[in-house]
Amino acid sequence: MLSEFSLIDRFFARRARATPRAPLGIGDDCALLLPRAGEMLAISTDMLVEGRHFLPDVDPHALGHKALAVNLSDLAAMGAKPQAFTLALALPEARESWLSAFSEGMFELAERFDCELVGGDTTSGPLNICITVFGEVPHQHALRRDAAQPGDDIWISGTLGDARAGLGVSRGEWSVENDDAAAFRRALERPEPRVALGLALRGHARAALDISDGLAGDLLHILERSRVNASVDIDAVPRSAALRRLTADAQRRCTLAGGDDYELCFTAPRSARTAIEAAGKTVDVPVTRIGTISALRTGEPAITWHDAAGTPLTLTLQGFDHFHAD
Amino acid sequence: MLSEFSLIDRFFARRARATPRAPLGIGDDCALLLPRAGEMLAISTDMLVEGRHFLPDVDPHALGHKALAVNLSDLAAMGAKPQAFTLALALPEARESWLSAFSEGMFELAERFDCELVGGDTTSGPLNICITVFGEVPHQHALRRDAAQPGDDIWISGTLGDARAGLGVSRGEWSVENDDAAAFRRALERPEPRVALGLALRGHARAALDISDGLAGDLLHILERSRVNASVDIDAVPRSAALRRLTADAQRRCTLAGGDDYELCFTAPRSARTAIEAAGKTVDVPVTRIGTISALRTGEPAITWHDAAGTPLTLTLQGFDHFHAD
């Protein structure tokens, strides 16, 4: 067992240093951050709990990656550039091997995105990881959920459903070839935050969010905040080659109500199609149009689903809702 | 049981609104915060765990107060003005009465300090409260731990030890009159962050921190970061009338190694004595000189303890250290 202070020093504080962006580093009552003039500070916080967001036997390196990745994904969905993060960690015991792998997984991702650890807290307790992340975005470029307009295209980055398929494999819901299982597991454990795409969409996309609870539930957040409807072609929803080897029913469950995708769902005017395609190519992330935003005439915002032939479909699938009895 | 989104809406999101300082409010991927030009953003995060930081039968109103108070205390220790906070909350179940009281306790304090809830996360899981708080401070006025200088006075705000005495009463370590027990319990459950004092000390104090783990351990953080020694008169350490009714031994344990005080310990040059006294009077918080900073000649920074008569004392008491087997 390590004492708290040597634990913090050994795995975390030594990785944090005073920089022009964060001139104090770790070890004081507060971190100090120097925002650049003209930029808004984008802030997001996510709490990950064992049994809820990851399994007890999760690889700690993958957990360190994912804990930061889901926060960076929120910055990406805002079109914000990562700057810094804080880490609060409750651990049942301070095992060095676990901490070493966890911190490596986290810092590898942090360094790739030039995002500095500036503060934190550790305590004993049931395993809980709470990261708060900070990024910068010019006010007029923030990709907000309330900015979708009738006539906008609806776009998706990457492919959806692989993470949910990975969960299905681990639960024995379906069995797949080893290569596909590995791809699904990688999607579940090591999501790639679409930060570069978020930045490339500034000035082109209108509304955006990241898909963490499933397309069906998350797209509805854009609709509710923007007071619009949506029409989506479920056959256009991008899927990996591995996912296409599951049954059509499993594919739909995974892509529409899967969750843990951390791909961007965004809207943009038709006039931006060329720019959006170019942005995707520049950052090497596929972008796919799956539907259209329309005006809300009466009632509550809703998604109308149809297949490639235009046949309407009724879905009862729901995204995760953390206090449902699910 | 409430669904996550209605729970957030009912108790938290409705209290957050778009303002000039935080123009987005809750409900997007990120909060947006607009820092003022010329100010540093001070950031602190604290995680509170049941059994470690509070007892299972804690009054949820008091818990809501304390969870935010300990974070505001970190801003106070930096001389920063509170601006905003995020709340991440893991709950075993979403009980309305608990959430109502918890959120009331938290928002009463938030409103007193004009500190806005700008974002958060809720999940099911073992009870865990992680708040990240944001404040503003001009760079040159930040009260850092590494700024103490030889010859500085060492000051304490308010009185120390009452919170630890409250824990002692609840554990049956000692018994006291009802009025004293109530005072101790109030100190333990409803610490008052010294925000106004921190602001009043700008330009007068040099180093500062808030005492969360006991004076003996926390003062050492200033010494280590500033590379100086300290000499402290333990009889000068300010104590409440209630605490003075405990034995001399219990008083020392509570004041020096108690923890949960959330008073400020700060250093300032002798020339600032009048200004410090005036600052304390202005904000109606007693300030007391307890010792002196001296140069570090060799070895590691240390505190030399003595009593009012000047007799040296050896203390083996330690502050809390969260991963010790305590």
Side-chain angles (χ1 to χ4, degrees):
Chain A
M1 300 285 266
L2 292 169
S3 81
E4 180 184 13
F5 295 107
S6 65
L7 182 160
I8 295 172
D9 275 348
R10 181 152 175 195
F11 294 106
F12 301 109
R14 72 183 169 87
R15 308 294 292 262
R17 60 201 185 288
T19 64
R21 189 193 296 164
L24 191 54
I26 282 183
D28 216 306
D29 298 288
C30 296
L32 291 177
L33 201 65
L34 183 59
R36 285 189 305 168
E39 302 267 341
M40 303 285 296
L41 196 73
I43 300 168
S44 181
T45 191
D46 274 297
M47 180 173 266
L48 274 68
V49 174
E50 185 174 283
R52 181 82 218 174
H53 301 94
F54 55 89
L55 300 172
D57 65 348
V58 66
D59 168 10
H61 189 282
L63 183 60
H65 171 100
K66 186 164 178 175
L68 182 58
V70 302
N71 278 281
L72 291 175
S73 180
D74 283 316
L75 293 183
M78 211 73 202
K81 187 173 186 314
Q83 299 290 323
F85 69 105
T86 60
L87 166 71
L89 188 60
L91 288 171
E93 56 174 352
R95 277 194 295 127
E96 293 191 43
S97 60
W98 192 96
L99 279 162
S100 174
F102 175 83
S103 61
E104 279 307 314
M106 193 181 68
F107 282 117
E108 279 176 23
L109 193 68
E111 281 162 21
R112 274 176 52 208
F113 287 99
D114 192 22
C115 190
E116 293 167 24
L117 179 68
V118 294
D121 193 16
T122 60
T123 180
S124 59
L127 184 54
N128 184 305
I129 305 156
C130 184
I131 288 180
T132 305
V133 74
F134 310 98
E136 287 184 344
V137 60
H139 196 174
Q140 73 278 16
H141 284 152
L143 304 175
R144 305 165 57 132
R145 294 184 178 185
D146 61 4
Q149 293 185 19
D152 277 4
D153 294 320
I154 302 168
W155 297 78
I156 298 289
S157 70
T159 63
L160 299 185
D162 279 11
R164 176 64 183 83
L167 198 62
V169 169
S170 77
R171 287 175 176 170
E173 293 178 50
W174 43 70
S175 54
V176 299
E177 297 295 318
N178 284 349
D179 284 359
D180 289 354
F184 292 155
R185 186 181 178 97
R186 184 166 181 84
L188 180 62
E189 293 192 343
R190 298 188 184 267
E192 178 66 17
R194 298 304 192 188
V195 170
L197 181 63
L199 295 175
L201 292 175
R202 285 180 179 179
H204 303 304
R206 281 192 175 124
L209 52 60
D210 69 321
I211 301 174
S212 55
D213 295 336
L215 174 64
D218 283 330
L219 176 55
L220 209 51
H221 296 318
I222 287 183
L223 305 188
E224 285 164 351
R225 302 273 294 183
S226 300
R227 307 304 298 170
V228 291
N229 286 324
S231 167
V232 173
D233 173 359
I234 67 167
D235 290 326
V237 174
R239 284 151 285 169
S240 70
L243 197 77
R244 286 175 185 273
R245 283 188 277 273
L246 295 184
T247 65
D249 180 60
Q251 288 182 44
R252 286 182 183 174
R253 280 172 58 197
C254 290
T255 51
L256 302 184
D260 262 349
D261 292 304
Y262 303 104
E263 294 292 349
L264 300 187
C265 173
F266 56 96
T267 83
R270 286 177 64 98
S271 59
R273 283 183 185 179
T274 309
I276 301 278
E277 298 277 4
K281 283 212 170 62
T282 301
V283 300
D284 202 23
V285 175
V287 288
T288 306
R289 274 189 289 120
I290 63 163
T292 314
I293 297 292
S294 59
L296 177 69
R297 310 234 178 261
T298 59
E300 284 305 298
I303 306 170
T304 306
W305 305 92
H306 60 86
D307 64 15
T311 310
L313 293 165
T314 303
L315 292 183
T316 55
L317 301 168
Q318 291 297 324
F320 294 124
D321 194 357
H322 286 161
F323 278 104
H324 270 149
D326 60 352
Chain B
M1 301 279 267
L2 292 168
S3 79
E4 179 185 15
F5 295 107
S6 64
L7 180 163
I8 295 173
D9 274 347
R10 180 148 175 199
F11 294 106
F12 300 108
R14 72 182 169 84
R15 308 294 292 262
R17 60 203 186 287
T19 64
R21 188 193 297 164
L24 191 52
I26 282 183
D28 216 304
D29 298 287
C30 296
L32 291 177
L33 202 64
L34 184 59
R36 285 190 305 168
E39 301 267 341
M40 304 282 298
L41 196 73
I43 301 168
S44 182
T45 190
D46 274 296
M47 180 174 267
L48 274 67
V49 175
E50 186 174 285
R52 181 79 219 178
H53 302 95
F54 55 89
L55 300 172
D57 65 348
V58 66
D59 169 11
H61 189 282
L63 184 60
H65 171 101
K66 186 164 179 175
L68 182 58
V70 302
N71 278 281
L72 291 174
S73 181
D74 283 316
L75 292 183
M78 209 76 203
K81 186 173 188 317
Q83 299 288 324
F85 68 105
T86 60
L87 166 70
L89 187 61
L91 287 171
E93 55 173 353
R95 276 195 294 129
E96 292 190 44
S97 60
W98 192 95
L99 278 163
S100 174
F102 175 83
S103 61
E104 278 308 316
M106 191 180 69
F107 282 116
E108 279 175 23
L109 193 68
E111 280 162 23
R112 274 177 53 210
F113 288 97
D114 191 21
C115 190
E116 293 167 24
L117 180 67
V118 293
D121 192 19
T122 59
T123 180
S124 59
L127 184 54
N128 184 306
I129 304 155
C130 184
I131 287 180
T132 305
V133 74
F134 310 97
E136 287 184 343
V137 60
H139 196 175
Q140 73 280 13
H141 284 153
L143 304 175
R144 304 165 56 132
R145 295 184 178 184
D146 61 4
Q149 293 185 20
D152 277 5
D153 295 321
I154 302 168
W155 297 78
I156 297 289
S157 70
T159 63
L160 300 186
D162 279 10
R164 176 64 183 84
L167 198 62
V169 169
S170 77
R171 286 175 178 170
E173 292 177 51
W174 43 72
S175 55
V176 299
E177 297 295 318
N178 284 350
D179 284 359
D180 289 355
F184 292 155
R185 186 183 177 97
R186 184 167 180 83
L188 180 63
E189 293 192 342
R190 297 186 187 268
E192 178 66 18
R194 298 304 192 188
V195 170
L197 181 62
L199 295 175
L201 292 176
R202 287 180 178 182
H204 303 302
R206 282 195 174 122
L209 52 59
D210 69 321
I211 301 176
S212 54
D213 295 335
L215 175 63
D218 282 331
L219 176 54
L220 209 51
H221 295 320
I222 288 183
L223 305 189
E224 285 165 350
R225 302 272 295 184
S226 300
R227 306 304 298 170
V228 291
N229 286 324
S231 167
V232 173
D233 173 359
I234 67 168
D235 289 327
V237 174
R239 284 151 286 169
S240 70
L243 196 77
R244 286 173 185 276
R245 285 189 274 276
L246 295 184
T247 64
D249 179 60
Q251 288 182 44
R252 287 183 184 175
R253 280 172 57 196
C254 289
T255 51
L256 303 184
D260 262 347
D261 292 302
Y262 303 104
E263 294 292 351
L264 300 188
C265 173
F266 56 98
T267 82
R270 286 176 65 96
S271 59
R273 282 184 187 177
T274 309
I276 301 280
E277 298 278 4
K281 284 212 171 61
T282 302
V283 300
D284 201 22
V285 176
V287 289
T288 307
R289 274 189 291 118
I290 62 162
T292 314
I293 297 292
S294 59
L296 176 68
R297 309 231 179 264
T298 58
E300 286 303 299
I303 305 170
T304 306
W305 305 92
H306 60 88
D307 64 16
T311 310
L313 293 164
T314 304
L315 291 183
T316 55
L317 299 168
Q318 292 298 325
F320 294 123
D321 194 356
H322 285 161
F323 277 104
H324 271 149
D326 60 352

